[in-house]
Amino acid sequence: EAGVTQSPTHLIKTRGQQATLRCSPISGHTSVYWYQQALGLGLQFLLWYDEGEERNRGNFPPRFSGRQFPNYSSELNVNALELEDSALYLCASSLDPDRENQPQHFGDGTRLSIL
Amino acid sequence: GDSVTQMEGPVTLSEEAFLTINCTYTATGYPSLFWYVQYPGEGLQLLLKATKADDKGSNKGFEATYRKETTSFHLEKGSVQVSDSAVYFCALLDPGANSKLTFGKGITLSVRP
C-alpha cells in the first residue's frame, strides 16, 4: 500500500513569492492534515480537510490556505512568503475521523526554504 | 488547552541499553495517545498508539502504557539498536479538538555501537 506522498521534496522561494505544496493521501483515506515543523517551534497544526471541506484551522495567518480535491488529494498554498515560513511541511491522512481514534499517517514532507 | 510534555534531550545510549522516554499530557477530554518516530531526512512514522486507559501499545520492541492516573505515556525499549537513532514525538488526539494532533517537542535519541 502506497503511503502519503508529498511533492516537491524541496522548494526554494524568495520573500514575497507564493508556494504550492501537494499531497496525496493513502488510498481510502478521506481526511488530509497539514502541519508545519519549523526549527525551534516543533510541530504545529495548520489545516484539516475532509470530504473537500476545511474542518479546522490552526493559529496561522490567512495567507496559509489550501484545498482538497474530489480525489482527496490536497494543496497547501502559502502567499506573500516570509523568511519565517522556512520549515518542513508535513501532510498526513487518516480514515474517517468520525470513527474514533483514527491515527494520522504522515508523508516525508516538503522542505520549503525562503531566501 | 491540550498539551504534551516530553523529557529534555538529547539522549545518548550504548547499544543494548534500556530506554525510557517520559511523556505526560494534559487534555480536556479522553484522548488517544501516540508515539511517532522521525528518522533523519524523513517524515513522521507512527510507532505505536493507545486509545484508552491501561491500553499498552507495542511495535518493533517498543512499548508504552496509557496511564490515566498519572496522565503519562512513557516509551520503553529493553534493548536499543543503532538503527533506533531518531527523534521521538509523543502526541495526543483529543476527541474535542477537531482532529488536531498535539505534539510534544520531541527528543533526539542517539545510540552508539
Side-chain angles (χ1 to χ4, degrees), chain A residues 31 33 35 37 42-45 48 55-56 88 90 97 100-109, chain B residues 30-32 34 36 38 41-46 49 51 89 93 97-101 103-105:
Chain A
S31 274
Y33 312 83
Y35 292 83
Q37 187 177 24
L43 279 149
Q44 297 186 75
F45 170 78
W48 167 34
R55 303 288 184 163
N56 195 13
L88 181 67
L90 291 165
E100 279 192 5
N101 310 317
Q102 295 301 320
Q104 295 175 19
H105 298 271
F106 286 79
D108 284 342
Chain B
Y30 295 94
S32 295
F34 306 88
Y36 284 88
Q38 187 174 34
E42 297 184 11
L44 274 68
Q45 294 181 26
L46 178 64
K49 69 172 185 176
T51 59
F89 293 91
L93 185 61
N98 245 350
S99 288
K100 171 190 155 187
L101 267 174
F103 286 91
K105 291 187 176 180

Side-chain angles (χ1 to χ4, degrees), chain B residues 28-100:
Chain B
T28 53
Y30 295 94
S32 295
L33 301 173
F34 306 88
W35 278 99
Y36 284 88
V37 58
Q38 187 174 34
Y39 297 101
E42 297 184 11
L44 274 68
Q45 294 181 26
L46 178 64
L47 184 58
L48 53 83
K49 69 172 185 176
T51 59
K52 60 183 187 297
D54 300 324
D55 264 3
K56 178 186 281 189
S58 61
N59 186 26
K60 299 182 181 179
F62 291 90
E63 291 183 342
T65 301
Y66 190 144
R67 301 285 188 203
K68 190 167 181 289
E69 64 276 12
T70 54
T71 61
S72 65
F73 192 54
H74 305 321
L75 183 69
E76 295 182 338
K77 186 175 185 182
S79 176
V80 293
Q81 306 300 312
V82 172
S83 57
D84 294 327
S85 298
V87 181
Y88 291 81
F89 293 91
C90 184
L92 72 82
L93 185 61
D94 191 327
N98 245 350
S99 288
K100 171 190 155 187

Side-chain angles (χ1 to χ4, degrees), chain B residues 10-14 80-82 84-86 88 108-112:
Chain B
V11 172
T12 302
L13 295 173
S14 296
V80 293
Q81 306 300 312
V82 172
D84 294 327
S85 298
Y88 291 81
T108 300
L109 170 66
S110 298
V111 180
R112 299 183 300 235

Side-chain angles (χ1 to χ4, degrees), chain A residues 54-94:
Chain A
E54 182 182 300
R55 303 288 184 163
N56 195 13
R57 181 181 185 85
N59 189 24
F60 282 85
R63 57 192 186 82
F64 287 83
S65 65
R67 54 181 173 166
Q68 186 178 32
F69 298 99
N71 66 353
Y72 303 112
S73 66
S74 176
E75 273 183 4
L76 174 68
N77 295 293
V78 189
N79 293 321
L81 287 164
E82 300 178 2
L83 292 175
E84 54 264 34
D85 297 334
S86 294
L88 181 67
Y89 289 83
L90 291 165
C91 174
S93 72
S94 76

